[in-house]
Amino acid sequence: MLLEGNNKIIDESRQGEVLQPANHPVSATKKLYLESYGCSMNFSDSEIVASIMAGIGFGITKTTDDADVIFLNTCAIRDNAEQRIWARLRDFKTAKRKKPGLIVGVLGCMAERLKSDLLEKQKLVDLVVGPDSYRDLPNLVAAAEGGQKAVNVLLSREETYAEISPVRLGSNGISSFISITRGCDNMCSFCVVPFTRGRERSRDPQTIVEEARQLFESGYREVILLGQNVDSYLWCGGGPKKDLPEEIVHKAMNKLLPETEQEKFCTFADLLEQVAAVHPDLRVRFSTSNPRDMTDAVLHVMAKHDNICKSVHLPVQSGNSDLLEKMNRGYTREEYMHRIRRIREIMPDCGISTDIISGFCGETESAHQDTISLMQWAGYDFAYMFKYSERPGTLAARKYADDIPEEIKTRRLAEIISAQTLISHESNRQNVGKICRVLAEAVSKRSSEHLSGRNSQNKVVIFPKGNFKPGDYADVLIHSCTAATLLGNPVESSN
Ligand code: SAM
């Protein structure tokens, strides 16, 4: 679904975006052209890359023509994401011929997955760098400048880039991502992330709170805490969570340890409170939640703080328990429904969104209908919907046949999308006649006389600019809606 201004996990309109620094004058001798693909984590990583490259004299350029180095920060989550990158690399082959010395590098998840193909078989790139090796960029770029092929795809057990101050790219200056964990331990059978991003590690909470404070002081009014599975965040001095005994992790996450022991840990609920305390005018969002790890403690903290947005992105993937088991999601349909009920009990006004995969291995027609009935029951505000794409090396690729014909996957996905369009429209209609507080983010893409922002539930709201500007809060009375957007008028000048 195309939602103006929405912070999507994989936002089709942002794929291949050439990122530009926000309010960041660049005085640099060499130029880096950086295209980013995939999820928000990748866009956030590009800001770390820009920061490290600035340290060796590279400023950002918008065009490939004056670039000394071209980086593609890539995604491997589905096959079509990788095909896009191969096509882009073939374009750059011509650019390299025209400009000898031009360095082309592949960063991110595809680098991790296809290092030898990229360097040896296809010979399209000079530099291949995995998501945990960006600190090594100065050495790797120097090697590539000296004519060598440079590669570092080592996955780390500790790296969180905690103290690196990101160069804010492609930002509206109002809302910014902050990475709080890296990697993923969940091993969902369809997913390549644990292989491309390694073991889950949490970042030092002090550095997260400090980053949020600096953002607020430089005018930002919203932070989005990012991780593959934010609910799984647990800090106790660094390193992979898997190194801790399972029982201790369980007790620490549910605050069941004796006080003196519990104090050594910072859970996601604790972190949320600390970030919310930075300033009441700083909104806090987070993504992505995982139904198997989300605790009531997190929901109570959300309910307690006005500046924590009432919005949960809770990927379901399928509404059928057999399929969920094959996906290794760690919950059944009923357990997922219980989580949604708890969200609604604790925060009746909470927005809920999801991710759905259509056509996973062995999906029957009735399993597909289970997904649609769950969507209708949950009444999601919006959903990111994908066709299953088999990823080499994953548990599903090794264990199950990718046996749903392409035309059936396509038809089921279309049914899911049209069901969600109706559900989203109905969910939006419920806002008509009500007032919601909106953080204005930018001038609307469709009209310079209107501002676009989001309410607490993460719904996009468009309203006449009047005296408001991006960064202001406005109380808006909603008068109409589409399936993707709420339209309204400010009821008072507030800030
Ligand atoms: N960590 C989150 C989770 O699993 O709940 C989301 C991570 S992933 C970057 C975003 C979404 O991509 C997933 O929720 C899933 O719907 C989709 N996805 C992941 N692997 C896929 C695959 N092999 N085929 C199709 N969609 C996939």
Side-chain angles (χ1 to χ4, degrees), residues 291 314 321 330-341:
L314 198 67
S321 293
Y331 53 85
T332 61
R333 176 185 172 99
E334 289 66 34
E335 284 162 346
Y336 183 88
M337 290 168 83
H338 172 72
R339 205 32 34 224
I340 298 255
R341 275 191 210 101

Side-chain angles (χ1 to χ4, degrees), residues 310-353:
K310 305 299 175 271
S311 160
V312 174
H313 186 70
L314 198 67
V316 64
Q317 315 297 4
S318 166
N320 176 273
S321 293
D322 293 340
L323 234 62
L324 287 169
E325 195 179 338
K326 274 175 100 172
M327 289 177 167
N328 196 27
R329 288 291 291 176
Y331 53 85
T332 61
R333 176 185 172 99
E334 289 66 34
E335 284 162 346
Y336 183 88
M337 290 168 83
H338 172 72
R339 205 32 34 224
I340 298 255
R341 275 191 210 101
R342 287 303 287 150
I343 296 172
R344 298 232 187 270
E345 278 160 22
I346 296 170
M347 290 173 291
D349 63 339
C350 192
I352 304 180
S353 53

Side-chain angles (χ1 to χ4, degrees), residues 77-78 190 228 315 317 329 355 357 386-387 389 391:
I77 200 92
R78 281 172 292 277
F190 52 79
Q228 294 297 339
Q317 315 297 4
R329 288 291 291 176
D355 291 352
I357 297 178
F386 312 101
K387 258 191 270 184
S389 165
R391 306 314 291 133

Side-chain angles (χ1 to χ4, degrees), residues 232-437:
S232 175
Y233 176 92
L234 188 68
W235 171 258
C236 89
K241 192 167 152 199
K242 277 252 153 69
D243 283 359
L244 297 168
E246 229 170 86
E247 196 198 334
I248 301 281
V249 168
H250 175 79
K251 285 189 173 160
M253 288 185 68
N254 291 283
K255 297 195 175 277
L256 299 172
L257 291 171
E259 212 177 307
T260 49
E261 284 302 300
Q262 189 70 44
E263 275 169 5
K264 295 178 189 154
F265 291 89
C266 177
T267 65
F268 182 55
D270 300 332
L271 178 72
L272 261 184
E273 289 230 80
Q274 291 178 30
V275 179
V278 165
H279 198 283
D281 284 343
L282 182 70
R283 272 189 170 181
V284 186
R285 296 187 188 278
F286 53 87
S287 185
T288 304
S289 294
N290 192 296
R292 76 167 121 189
D293 292 310
M294 183 171 234
T295 58
D296 280 3
V298 167
L299 301 177
H300 287 300
V301 168
M302 288 175 75
K304 189 168 132 195
H305 295 271
D306 280 346
N307 62 330
I308 303 182
C309 289
K310 305 299 175 271
S311 160
V312 174
H313 186 70
L314 198 67
V316 64
Q317 315 297 4
S318 166
N320 176 273
S321 293
D322 293 340
L323 234 62
L324 287 169
E325 195 179 338
K326 274 175 100 172
M327 289 177 167
N328 196 27
R329 288 291 291 176
Y331 53 85
T332 61
R333 176 185 172 99
E334 289 66 34
E335 284 162 346
Y336 183 88
M337 290 168 83
H338 172 72
R339 205 32 34 224
I340 298 255
R341 275 191 210 101
R342 287 303 287 150
I343 296 172
R344 298 232 187 270
E345 278 160 22
I346 296 170
M347 290 173 291
D349 63 339
C350 192
I352 304 180
S353 53
T354 199
D355 291 352
I356 291 168
I357 297 178
S358 145
F360 185 65
C361 314
E363 184 186 67
T364 60
E365 208 53 42
S366 97
H368 166 60
Q369 289 306 326
D370 286 345
T371 299
I372 293 186
S373 71
L374 184 65
M375 290 165 70
Q376 285 159 342
W377 174 86
Y380 296 117
D381 296 304
F382 59 90
Y384 307 122
M385 298 155 282
F386 312 101
K387 258 191 270 184
Y388 172 59
S389 165
E390 185 178 86
R391 306 314 291 133
T394 56
L395 200 72
R398 283 182 275 134
K399 225 169 139 184
Y400 308 120
D402 179 12
D403 55 358
I404 307 301
E406 191 55 28
E407 63 275 18
I408 295 184
K409 282 186 188 170
T410 305
R411 191 253 303 155
R412 287 182 187 165
L413 179 64
E415 287 172 6
I416 283 172
I417 291 173
S418 62
Q420 185 53 46
T421 305
L422 293 177
I423 299 166
S424 294
H425 207 156
E426 182 46 37
S427 151
N428 279 354
R429 261 195 288 267
Q430 287 172 18
N431 292 262
V432 174
K434 295 186 182 155
I435 294 172
C436 57
R437 176 150 276 226

Side-chain angles (χ1 to χ4, degrees), residues 74-89:
T74 61
C75 168
I77 200 92
R78 281 172 292 277
D79 184 55
N80 58 7
E82 290 191 357
Q83 293 313 322
R84 248 183 232 183
I85 301 294
W86 285 118
R88 206 61 190 119
L89 287 174

Side-chain angles (χ1 to χ4, degrees), residues 10-30:
I10 294 200
D11 181 343
E12 280 305 316
S13 67
R14 291 199 73 188
Q15 299 307 297
E17 192 170 294
V18 185
L19 299 169
Q20 284 288 290
N23 316 320
H24 183 84
V26 172
S27 54
T29 47
K30 293 185 270 183

